[in-house]
Amino acid sequence: MRQSSVWCNNFPWPVLPVRTPWMSATCGTIGRMDPDELLTALDPEQRAVALARSGPVCVLAGAGTGKTRAITHRIAYAVATGAVNPAQVLALTFTVRAAGELRGRLRALGGGAAAVRATTFHAAALRQLTYFWPRVIGGRPPRLVESKHPLLREAARDLGLRVEGPALSDAVTEIEWAKVCQVHPDSYVFAATEAKRAPSAGVEDIGRLYAAYEALRRDRQLIDFESVLELTAAILLTEPAVARDVHAAFRYFTVDEFQDVNPLQKLLLDAWLGGREELCVVGDPRQTIYSFTGATSEYLRTFTVDYPEATMVRLVRDYRSTPQVVGVANRLVAGPPAGAGSAGAADSGALVAQRPPGPEPVVTRYANEEAEAAGVAASIAAFIRSGVLPNEIAVLLRINAHMERFERALSDAKVPYVVRGAERFYDRPEVRQALVLLRGAARAAGAGTDATGLPGELAAAVRHVLASAGLTPAPPAARGAVRERWESLAAIAGLADDLAAARPAATLAEFAAELAERAETGHAPVAAAVTLATMHAAKGLEWDAVLLPGLTEGIMPIVHARTAEAVEEERRLLYVAVTRARVHLALSWAPARTPGAEASRQRSRFLPAMQTPLAGERV
């Protein structure tokens, strides 16, 4: 197996005896699961995954093919048959929401599977680093900084650089890319040039900024998210006693979305494994869309090189989308037509639709971008009139800069909408404030009392509390941050409505407790509104109807995609966007920016293949 190397600002690592309370999940009662029943619920390929109880195992899982079902049943089957101790299983993924879904699925399967630790790379590493630091380094662990922006602004001022707004976000991306790729500040300029990186501030200034940022961080004994992974790996690789404890604690590993692993995460995973081969990875090379952050599908593609004895299973049965949507996705990535035989599809990786036929996807050419936004809003209104729920509709855009145009069009059409960004719902400032207010009100009011003047009915009491945070009966006319803040508070109020309907006697304290649990698992509320999101933010989600406007050259693929590799990443991003749709798919483009402007834009190079055999374009 290939070994990874690491550089870091090393601390002295004295060898100390350690214990391991950091790894324990609440095991509870193991109970019983019927292994045969677990297998009965799976299709043949998913069953092959579950039956491969010991590693190494590689699962190539196309969009909508039930990969989460396959890997959770594999873990549950291994537990039910006594092949593994559930407390020694570590299931890793990349987002709090995905980790919460894994935990929920495992809990629903019953028995010992509920004892499995399902978490993110960063959460697992931080838990271990926090535990081992006082014993190995001594003293309290360094403070974690959740945002690089303040330190970077300070570093830029010290260097006399003007880095604000998009340029600051660009600098953050560059530094995070360098850190996950294990590029030292002294080597950044060379590495970035070789990788054809083109930050807006220039590679020379980013190199200086990176070095200044790292110096400030070290001087103040701070760690960022990349440092958490790096330092945890360093402890494991340099401290045999720590490695023995961790290797004894976790013996059975599953990694979801393996195509998104970056070199630093791979380094830590190798340190956790310690040369062992009890590893199951799941991913889809066709959904690699984060190469700009350092993620690479190379580890997934070369898994059988690292592990020649690995079991390989390919999941191609698409349970999410209609044959019409699957056909567009397959044509986009040059696979054979949907409905091809299972064997041929399995060889090529093409998806095989399992749902009944649905409506044909449509491609529309609008005169200009304003007309396109209005047309998209009108299409959405028609979907809603036909019975599609607003929260089952999404508009997915390539770049955030186009969001305002569609917000305005949806507002004009009186269509409710929410904007979904990369920020997690429970990390939003207004949501954190609301949770604090609700916990305080619950403590003051007591169970179901109105001692503080709160209404006795739960939904009314929650709205009363949230009014102090800015919730009003009707949405504000303003868009952007003001509207997003209101949407967040309204979503919390909607959860109170749901809880009150399910449990009329529920108290404010019980609601606050449920919110805390949802925050821990990343279970964000679903608003009764259309979703506006970027294609990247839509990864892992799905809707009945998906609209993809802006399919012009320079937008899709983006103008910055100057190499063949970058263009192929854009193709994969569009593939991810297409495969979010269950039933309805609408594609559109506009040759002019504004009414009366020159029609200088060309339709996306990806559209012709997607249209065949669709009957042309609507105009």
Side-chain angles (χ1 to χ4, degrees):
M1 186 177 66
R2 265 184 297 180
Q3 295 297 312
S4 304
S5 59
V6 61
W7 73 265
C8 71
N9 301 299
N10 282 322
F11 293 84
W13 307 113
V15 179
L16 295 174
V18 294
R19 294 172 297 172
T20 55
W22 44 268
M23 53 70 62
S24 59
T26 304
C27 293
T29 302
I30 295 298
R32 293 179 60 83
M33 289 182 288
D34 186 330
D36 292 335
E37 287 186 10
L38 289 169
L39 296 179
T40 300
L42 305 176
D43 69 27
E45 294 79 24
Q46 293 168 345
R47 191 175 302 121
V49 174
L51 288 171
R53 294 181 302 174
S54 60
V57 177
C58 180
V59 183
L60 298 178
T65 57
K67 67 179 177 65
T68 305
R69 184 180 188 83
I71 60 175
T72 52
H73 278 70
R74 176 182 185 266
I75 293 170
Y77 184 73
V79 171
T81 56
V84 300
N85 178 346
Q88 294 179 325
V89 178
L90 186 58
L92 296 160
T93 188
F94 291 87
T95 67
V96 172
R97 183 191 61 80
E101 182 181 358
L102 279 176
R103 286 195 294 272
R105 297 276 194 102
L106 290 165
R107 191 181 305 120
L109 290 173
V116 168
R117 179 168 293 282
T119 186
T120 65
F121 273 89
H122 285 97
L126 182 60
R127 189 179 181 93
Q128 292 179 20
L129 184 65
T130 301
Y131 175 78
F132 285 114
W133 186 280
R135 294 158 176 79
V136 176
I137 307 302
R140 302 182 67 176
R143 182 168 63 87
L144 176 68
V145 289
E146 296 193 1
S147 171
K148 293 181 175 65
H149 286 73
L151 273 183
L152 277 175
R153 288 192 185 97
E154 186 175 348
R157 284 196 301 269
D158 292 345
L159 294 171
L161 298 175
R162 291 181 58 83
V163 182
E164 284 296 337
L168 182 63
S169 297
D170 199 17
V172 170
T173 298
E174 283 303 298
I175 290 172
E176 290 178 350
W177 168 80
K179 296 190 74 167
V180 303
C181 292
Q182 292 287 274
V183 174
H184 190 276
D186 292 345
S187 306
Y188 169 78
V189 173
F190 174 78
T193 302
E194 286 290 297
K196 297 182 172 59
R197 309 285 293 186
S200 56
V203 293
E204 296 285 348
D205 281 348
I206 292 295
R208 296 168 59 208
L209 191 57
Y210 179 19
Y213 165 82
E214 284 291 275
L216 279 176
R217 185 184 61 76
R218 288 195 306 271
D219 289 346
R220 296 176 187 179
Q221 290 291 294
L222 302 173
I223 54 175
D224 54 25
F225 286 110
E226 294 76 35
S227 302
V228 170
L229 302 185
E230 182 182 83
L231 291 170
T232 304
I235 292 177
L236 288 166
L237 293 171
T238 59
E239 290 300 313
V242 173
R244 281 195 298 271
D245 273 359
V246 174
H247 294 162
F250 295 117
R251 300 177 180 273
Y252 197 78
F253 294 81
T254 298
V255 183
D256 193 12
E257 303 287 3
F258 199 63
Q259 79 279 351
D260 290 334
V261 165
N262 62 48
L264 184 52
Q265 289 163 335
K266 181 60 163 57
L267 169 71
L268 179 57
L269 178 62
D270 287 344
W272 277 332
L273 283 165
R276 298 168 297 173
E277 298 192 345
E278 280 301 336
L279 173 64
C280 173
V281 301
V282 188
D284 181 6
R286 293 182 173 184
Q287 297 188 67
T288 304
I289 60 172
Y290 292 108
S291 296
F292 66 96
T293 69
T296 173
S297 62
E298 179 191 1
Y299 304 124
L300 179 62
R301 293 179 184 276
T302 62
F303 191 82
T304 54
V305 175
D306 288 347
Y307 301 96
E309 303 301 318
T311 299
M312 178 77 73
V313 182
R314 191 186 294 273
L315 304 182
V316 296
R317 300 172 195 257
D318 186 312
Y319 297 96
R320 176 187 298 156
S321 305
T322 64
Q324 286 74 17
V325 173
V326 167
V328 171
N330 283 339
R331 289 192 295 273
L332 175 60
V333 290
S342 297
D347 289 340
S348 67
L351 300 173
V352 181
Q354 304 298 299
R355 291 187 59 154
E360 286 289 346
V362 297
V363 179
T364 305
R365 176 186 181 275
Y366 292 96
N368 54 71
E369 290 181 346
E370 294 299 321
E372 182 179 34
V376 165
S379 297
I380 289 171
F383 280 139
I384 294 172
R385 287 194 300 271
S386 71
V388 181
L389 297 175
N391 57 282
E392 288 294 352
I393 303 172
V395 181
L396 305 183
L397 305 170
R398 175 60 183 90
I399 56 177
N400 270 312
H402 291 173
M403 203 74 71
E404 194 275 339
R405 182 188 318 131
F406 291 91
E407 287 190 65
R408 184 170 4 104
L410 290 170
S411 293
D412 292 345
K414 302 294 189 294
V415 173
Y417 68 89
V418 295
V419 178
R420 181 184 180 92
E423 183 182 37
R424 294 198 300 264
F425 180 80
Y426 294 100
D427 285 344
R428 297 175 187 174
E430 65 271 18
V431 174
R432 292 200 299 267
Q433 179 192 13
L435 295 181
V436 170
L437 291 172
L438 288 166
R439 285 195 296 267
R443 286 194 299 268
T449 70
D450 60 355
T452 59
L454 290 173
E457 194 266 327
L458 175 63
V462 168
R463 281 177 168 76
H464 182 85
V465 173
L466 296 181
S468 64
L471 181 65
T472 56
R479 293 185 286 272
V482 173
R483 174 65 180 254
E484 289 177 30
R485 179 181 179 85
W486 185 89
E487 289 165 355
S488 297
L489 298 175
I492 295 174
L495 289 177
D497 294 339
D498 294 341
L499 181 60
R503 291 158 48 195
T507 66
L508 195 57
E510 290 171 334
F511 179 65
E514 174 155 324
L515 280 180
E517 182 179 348
R518 281 173 165 266
E520 183 181 352
T521 60
H523 187 187
V526 177
V530 172
T531 298
L532 273 176
T534 65
M535 294 179 181
H536 280 99
K539 180 76 163 63
L541 304 173
E542 58 187 78
W543 295 268
D544 283 346
V546 170
L547 298 96
L548 303 177
L551 299 184
T552 59
E553 288 291 306
I555 301 300
M556 175 50 70
I558 197 73
V559 66
H560 308 302
R562 299 187 179 97
T563 65
E565 293 83 359
V567 170
E568 285 310 298
E569 177 123 338
E570 292 290 291
R571 185 191 301 274
R572 293 193 297 270
L573 179 59
L574 185 54
Y575 173 81
V576 167
V578 166
T579 55
R580 301 310 95 195
R582 299 191 192 103
V583 180
H584 304 280
L585 179 64
L587 316 169
S588 62
W589 70 287
R593 285 181 177 270
T594 58
E598 181 184 359
S600 58
R601 288 188 165 181
Q602 300 298 314
R603 67 176 182 169
S604 169
R605 70 191 70 178
F606 301 136
L607 269 177
M610 297 168 70
Q611 286 181 258
T612 307
L614 302 180
E617 295 178 342
R618 296 181 179 180
V619 179

